[in-house]
Amino acid sequence: MAYENIIVETREKVGFIQLNRPKALNALNSALLTELTTALELFESNARIGAIVITGSEKAFAAGADIKEMQTLQFADAYTGDYFSGWERVTAIRKPMIAAVAGYALGGGCELAMMCDFIIAADTAKFGQPEITLGVMPGMGGSQRLTRFVGKSKAMDMCLTGRMMDANEAERSGLVSRVVPANELVEEALKAAQKIASFSLPVVMMTKETVKPGL
Ligand code: HXC
């Protein structure tokens, strides 16, 4: 499959996906979603792959859903057409997914990171749900997942003011599992993924499956 919006590689037993729309800070449009879910499902069905890493660029993991694509939508069409439903294919993946986040993870970008099983953040990472500044609300699970991960007060603060959280605050709040220097981000995420992939795949998948319902 030829991808235009992501880069897909296999690193030993790890599936590696890099979001690749640098001019739009990896804004998540429909084409990117289609490619991402295709790549994830191919890794899911590939018995040699034991874990998956999703990353972005140095400047942005993803700056959100694609505002330019969204602004042409009418509310009723977006609602009845279930515009964001494709993202449920990401959360249906049963193999572990690690988000390696540097730079901006905003709106849908933060939500994509939270769809992964854990987040490793570069010290440059910035998380936020700025939807309120656009006159919309988080649409891809952000209001629920963020609340479960960081608690009511921080989630309300983030969603209602639209402010960003830096990597240290995100680690303190439990949003990310660890913070690493930006130049070591991909290496650290791959190392964690290789470790996971070295274990029994069915037990890894069962472990993910049993942790998930508590979230
Ligand atoms: C489309 C985007 C984009 C986005 C950035 N770009 N974010 N395009 N969708 N979400 C584009 C810009 O238009 C610009 O393209 C290029 O990326 C570089 O962005 P700049 O703004 O010039 O960069 P900078 O000054 O460094 O600012 C970075 C930034 C800012 C702070 C991240 O880009 C920003 O605030 N972006 C929007 C973030 C946001 O609101 N995200 C939430 C989206 S809503 P051009 O062509 O002009 O050079 C969402 C869920 C909606 O995610 C749910 C609805 C129900």
Side-chain angles (χ1 to χ4, degrees):
M1 160 113 195
Y3 296 103
E4 288 177 8
N5 300 283
I6 59 176
I7 295 168
V8 180
E9 291 168 12
T10 300
R11 309 270 181 100
E12 297 174 38
K13 295 170 88 174
V14 173
F16 179 79
I17 299 174
Q18 182 171 15
L19 309 180
N20 188 34
R21 296 188 69 213
K23 287 188 188 142
L25 302 185
N26 293 332
L28 306 167
N29 64 4
S30 306
L32 186 150
L33 171 63
T34 302
E35 292 185 9
L36 178 63
T37 49
T38 301
L40 286 172
E41 286 163 4
L42 285 171
F43 284 142
E44 179 90 323
S45 61
N46 181 342
R48 290 189 305 278
I49 296 294
I52 298 162
V53 171
I54 301 178
T55 196
S57 68
E58 267 175 42
K59 181 161 180 188
F61 177 74
D66 192 309
I67 297 170
K68 289 168 193 163
E69 184 176 270
M70 268 189 327
Q71 70 190 3
T72 61
L73 295 174
Q74 295 301 312
F75 169 75
D77 297 335
Y79 180 74
T80 53
D82 213 357
Y83 180 69
F84 291 108
S85 62
W87 292 95
E88 283 163 19
R89 285 170 63 188
V90 176
T91 57
I93 296 296
R94 296 170 70 209
K95 290 179 181 172
M97 296 182 289
I98 302 173
V101 175
Y104 297 110
L106 303 178
C110 186
E111 291 167 318
L112 171 59
M114 291 191 291
M115 287 176 208
C116 295
D117 297 298
F118 62 96
I119 301 172
I120 300 181
D123 48 13
T124 58
K126 286 188 166 60
F127 299 87
Q129 299 291 161
E131 286 89 341
I132 193 119
T133 67
L134 302 172
V136 293
M137 50 186 273
M140 287 152 54
S143 43
Q144 299 84 38
R145 283 195 187 98
L146 187 68
T147 310
R148 287 201 290 274
F149 300 163
V150 305
K152 171 195 154 198
S153 199
K154 283 232 184 253
M156 286 287 193
D157 181 1
M158 305 280 293
C159 291
L160 292 175
T161 69
R163 80 168 174 90
M164 292 183 211
M165 211 189 241
D166 67 19
N168 287 330
E169 185 180 0
E171 187 182 31
R172 258 194 340 266
S173 313
L175 180 61
V176 312
S177 68
R178 31 182 146 152
V179 179
V180 299
N183 62 354
E184 293 169 21
L185 175 69
V186 170
E187 187 191 328
E188 286 297 321
L190 283 171
K191 219 191 282 173
Q194 294 291 5
K195 180 87 179 166
I196 294 167
S198 73
F199 298 133
S200 155
L201 180 59
V203 176
V204 161
M205 289 172 71
M206 278 186 265
T207 302
K208 168 167 171 166
E209 197 175 325
T210 53
V211 173
K212 264 179 88 174
L215 298 176

